[in-house]
Amino acid sequence: MENKQFVLVSRPAGVPSAENFKLLDVEIPQPQDGEVLLRTLYLSVDPYMRARMNDRKSYVDPFVVGGAINGGALAEVIESRSAAFKSGDTVLGYLPWQLYSVAKASALQKIDPSLAPLTTALGVLGMPGLTAYFGLLDIGKPKAGDTVVVSGAAGAVGTIVCQIAKIKGCHVVGIAGSDEKNQYLKEELGVDATVNYKTGDLKQELRKACPDGVDIYFDNVGGQVSDVILTMINHGSRTIICGQIALYNLEQPDQGPRVQPYLLVKSALMQGFIITAYTARFGEGVRQLAQWLQEGKLKYAENIVEGFENTPQAFLGLFTGENLGKQLVKVTEPST
Ligand SMILES: NC(=O)c1ccc[n+]([C@@H]2O[C@H](COP(=O)([O-])OP(=O)(O)OC[C@H]3O[C@@H](n4cnc5c(N)ncnc54)[C@H](OP(=O)(O)O)[C@@H]3O)[C@@H](O)[C@H]2O)c1
């Protein structure tokens, strides 16, 4: 068995590139008491990892230059020194970009692969699905008939937000960066109207798609797309700040329109959130999302890149819109 690991070798200025990562040969670590040895099956690549490449403290610590990149992952236990797990168990954890790694048993969650396809634990039934669920329902408080606009609509979080808003009886407008993605949103997910922000006249098309203005804006991207939507918010509207991917690669912060006058005259709410604030309620979220999946009310898309060595490319593709739905890397098949 050989082991490999991706480390961060430099911090990007602007858009990250493959040169920021390096693949190293490393030893297979030995588990100690209370630990397990894991074989990585799937890695999740996520936009928030871009912020961790900077040398700035945020709600998660920066990656260390020369240290392994880490993130959400599914793995198989191949040796256990903990009563909590046995060889062959599938687990969800926060693991290094590494073929084999050791983790504390207390930091892992056992996944039952018979309940749902394994990868849903990193997508619709995992962090992105929960982000959509709590962000929209807890902050947005959708009511039947509300107009809900979703940016980054064809991504891991956005696809689930669109569908939950439809379940709640809303008029849903999705914004995504390709016609293929918008076609998926309309034809597969039942989104009422879509706009391609790269090719269309965003303002004009959104006016057409939202004749009664915007009651809820679920913001995954920020930047100029959000600047336009802000001019269309209704009295009492709710804007949920989930992500700002359009800004993550800026070298200097830019100045958009000042938002306070819009919020003031429309008595509107704008609220950011980080999904970990809802950890105590994850069980509730997963149960509801799983029920909607089972009932066929919720669908999910995945974009799976094959091969551990392609992990940086899969991550970089988030910033050029390669993914429809959740972006994952398949490292290897489970053995059972
Ligand atoms: N608050 C939280 O706790 C939390 C949790 C999870 C995720 N998030 C945030 O939610 C957002 C979505 O995350 P995700 O995991 O679902 O990612 P995702 O939407 O699956 O992937 C990123 C997508 O962003 C779009 N994009 C990239 N650059 C853009 C730009 N400059 N302007 C507009 N769109 C751009 C691309 O789609 P197009 O083809 O449409 O451009 C790309 O496919 C991210 O901003 C992320 O940081 C927040």
Side-chain angles (χ1 to χ4, degrees):
M1 292 196 309
E2 57 164 14
N3 200 10
K4 288 189 183 294
Q5 175 191 68
F6 273 107
V7 296
L8 183 75
V9 283
S10 57
R11 299 199 188 277
V15 181
S17 74
E19 274 75 64
N20 300 128
F21 304 92
K22 191 170 180 191
L23 188 59
L24 300 179
D25 291 315
V26 290
E27 295 283 309
I28 295 183
Q30 290 295 314
Q32 305 299 311
D33 283 347
E35 294 182 337
V36 292
L37 176 63
L38 299 168
R39 191 167 70 106
T40 305
L41 303 176
Y42 287 91
L43 291 168
S44 173
V45 290
D46 295 273
Y48 76 88
M49 293 173 152
R50 173 62 188 87
R52 298 194 66 196
M53 297 175 84
N54 297 333
D55 192 15
R56 266 198 306 272
K57 193 161 168 40
S58 179
Y59 62 94
V60 257
D61 288 337
F63 294 128
V64 174
V65 175
I69 309 284
N70 57 8
L74 284 162
E76 186 172 274
V77 175
I78 54 173
E79 185 186 336
S80 178
R81 293 193 55 183
S82 156
F85 296 103
K86 60 181 189 322
S87 185
D89 282 347
T90 307
V91 294
L92 175 71
Y94 209 69
L95 301 177
W97 285 8
Q98 206 162 295
L99 294 177
Y100 296 92
S101 59
V102 155
K104 282 196 167 58
S106 56
L108 299 170
Q109 185 190 332
K110 198 180 217 159
I111 299 292
D112 183 348
S114 69
L115 290 182
L118 211 53
T119 50
T120 57
L122 292 171
V124 57
L125 300 181
M127 187 275 279
L130 291 164
T131 301
Y133 179 86
F134 287 111
L136 180 66
L137 297 183
D138 220 51
I139 302 173
K141 299 187 172 37
K143 299 185 299 298
D146 279 349
T147 294
V148 179
V149 174
V150 185
S151 60
V157 176
T159 48
I160 308 304
V161 174
C162 288
Q163 294 178 87
I164 298 175
K166 284 306 302 173
I167 290 169
K168 297 293 173 187
C170 301
H171 175 74
V172 181
V173 178
I175 304 173
S178 79
D179 292 343
E180 181 204 359
K181 289 183 180 186
N182 283 327
Q183 192 178 348
Y184 173 82
L185 291 172
K186 277 211 272 207
E187 291 176 9
E188 292 294 324
L189 305 190
V191 166
D192 299 288
T194 56
V195 179
N196 181 340
Y197 74 94
K198 289 185 177 164
T199 57
D201 177 334
L202 190 62
K203 194 163 199 166
Q204 211 176 9
E205 290 190 37
L206 273 174
R207 285 225 170 101
K208 231 188 308 164
C210 310
D212 301 324
V214 176
D215 299 301
I216 297 179
Y217 173 39
F218 195 103
D219 185 10
N220 280 312
V221 307
Q224 290 175 358
V225 168
S226 297
D227 293 348
V228 170
I229 296 161
L230 203 61
T231 65
M232 298 172 59
I233 58 172
N234 286 337
H235 190 270
S237 64
R238 286 82 69 203
T239 290
I240 303 141
I241 308 295
C242 175
Q244 300 281 287
I245 195 167
L247 311 182
Y248 295 171
N249 294 324
L250 294 183
E251 290 183 59
Q252 296 296 328
D254 67 348
Q255 173 71 61
R258 293 188 165 88
V259 300
Q260 292 88 338
Y262 295 98
L263 302 179
L264 174 70
V265 298
K266 299 290 183 183
S267 299
L269 173 86
M270 180 179 272
Q271 188 181 324
F273 76 108
I274 300 296
I275 187 55
T276 44
Y278 289 94
T279 306
R281 292 176 59 195
F282 279 2
E284 165 203 332
V286 172
R287 271 191 300 279
Q288 179 61 84
L289 290 163
Q291 188 186 330
W292 282 330
L293 261 186
Q294 257 170 5
E295 293 169 351
K297 292 181 179 162
L298 201 56
K299 297 180 181 173
Y300 63 95
E302 296 172 330
N303 198 56
I304 300 185
V305 163
E306 300 266 345
F308 177 68
E309 65 286 2
N310 297 318
T311 307
Q313 287 308 333
F315 168 71
L316 298 172
L318 294 170
F319 301 96
T320 47
E322 302 304 312
N323 60 307
L324 172 62
K326 176 65 196 148
Q327 182 64 61
L328 296 168
V329 178
K330 182 175 180 181
V331 177
T332 189
E333 287 284 342
S335 63
T336 47

